[in-house]
Amino acid sequence: MGIREFPGGAPRGKSIAVGMRRSPDVSPRRLSDISPQLRQLKYLVVDEAIKEDLKWSRSVEDLTSGPVGLTSIEERILRITGYYGYQPWAASCKREERPRDSPGPAEAQAPAGVEAGGRASRRCWTCSPAQLKKVFWGVAVALCVCSSWAGSTQLAKLTFGKFDAPFTLTWFATNWNFLFFPLYYVGHVCKSTEKQSVKQRYRECCRFFGDNGLTLKVFFTKAAPFGVLWTLTNYLYLHAIKKINTTDVSVLFCCNKAFVFLLSWIVLRDRFMGVRIVAAILAIAGIVMMTYADGFHSHSVIGIALVVASASMSALYKVLFKLLLGSAKFGEAALFLSILGVFNILFITCIPIILYFTKVEYWSSFDDIPWGNLCGFSVLLLTFNIVLNFGIAVTYPTLMSLGIVLSVPVNAVVDHYTSQIVFNGVRVIAIIIIGLGFLLLLLPEEWDVWLIKLLTRLKVRKKEEPAEGGADLSSGPHSKNRRARPSFAR
């Protein structure tokens, strides 16, 4: 267990310790005076076997411990010589004089939890104010998502009674996406301390598309495909509402999360999780049972096929966005959604016109159009997308996703009083299975680790309870009687 020496003859550990224990008033030596030693610094190694013997040396402690450690010879030179005003011995003196900080919650509970009888106190679990605030915001956001999604679905169903034009309704509502970036900029001006002009903010957000910003090539290769997928998703969803009731449509659309997992696993090579495979199987089983609930009639089969296709388009949109564009900040997401609105105005407007003149979606006069329903549906859908895309700023994504599945019972209650839906056993089981699969998909990737930790804590708590009970009995009246009984053994 020897210590390698410098050419000067002094042991390495001791030479460093002596240099480090100097007072702050003594100036360090020049680099030229210790050039032979500096050439040997790269071989400075403290053996594991002598770490305990050298812990008294602050220099060796600093060299071998710490969050980062010394990784360059320049840092070692500065530590030993104090060159350029770097004096670690002065810092160590201040660190030794400074009183120790108050212990954290775990350290504070350890001594307080041990009593005279050796009884351990139970650990108290508390939520920080920030976490409670996020939870409260999550409940509000989930309710907003639920109400806007269920409201837009019911209003679309009501609109088709007067205005049978699902593609025109899709086009009209998608045009409102243009408001995303202006609304984001208003929020930026109100909240941000460093305010930028609209042009500056636009240029900064355009970097999301690459170094050249939003060019014509980028518009047609990275924005136009998503505009088509967005239109298809909404059109298929609205067309399915014409065929089947809103309860079935809303619960079947929840399968899009299972489709996202399957596509991410295949295309993005995401982590394989058995519980999510089970959730995908439950979603598929729920689709089959939902089809069986109405007896495989052509009307209901077409409606179910339409909403499943809509869920598939939504899943493809999300996976391709992650594959081609990655993750986006709030301003970048707002700009991207506004670009989809511009694409819809420029290139999709011709389709409702063609459908009108071919009388596929025809209305006698513009006065017969229920503008109130159309604007109300567009506002609810815009609110839903705003909350779903920007709600992550104030709460957890899992709580936001719960709002979508909560819209299913809301639509079921409305359908029960406004339509002739029959909630037979097969339909109820299908709704429960799809809802269960959706909830399983909300589990985080480390859910199994958390579950094992929870079960371990419960086992430890059960073992502590009998021990506490035995300690209480030993100090009870029986022990007093035993102490009061005279002893004949002398």
Side-chain angles (χ1 to χ4, degrees), residues 318-338:
K318 294 177 182 179
V319 174
L320 286 182
F321 187 91
K322 190 174 181 181
L323 178 66
L324 300 178
L325 299 174
S327 58
K329 299 177 182 178
F330 295 121
E332 296 166 350
L335 178 62
F336 182 80
L337 292 172
S338 293

Side-chain angles (χ1 to χ4, degrees), residues 46 270 273 346 349 359 424 436 474:
V46 181
D270 279 0
M273 291 183 63
L346 295 177
T349 304
K359 294 188 177 181
N424 52 26
L436 180 61
S474 63

Side-chain angles (χ1 to χ4, degrees), residues 375-391:
C375 293
F377 171 78
S378 302
V379 169
L380 287 174
L381 193 61
L382 180 67
T383 304
F384 171 78
N385 288 310
I386 288 175
V387 174
L388 204 63
N389 284 281
F390 303 115

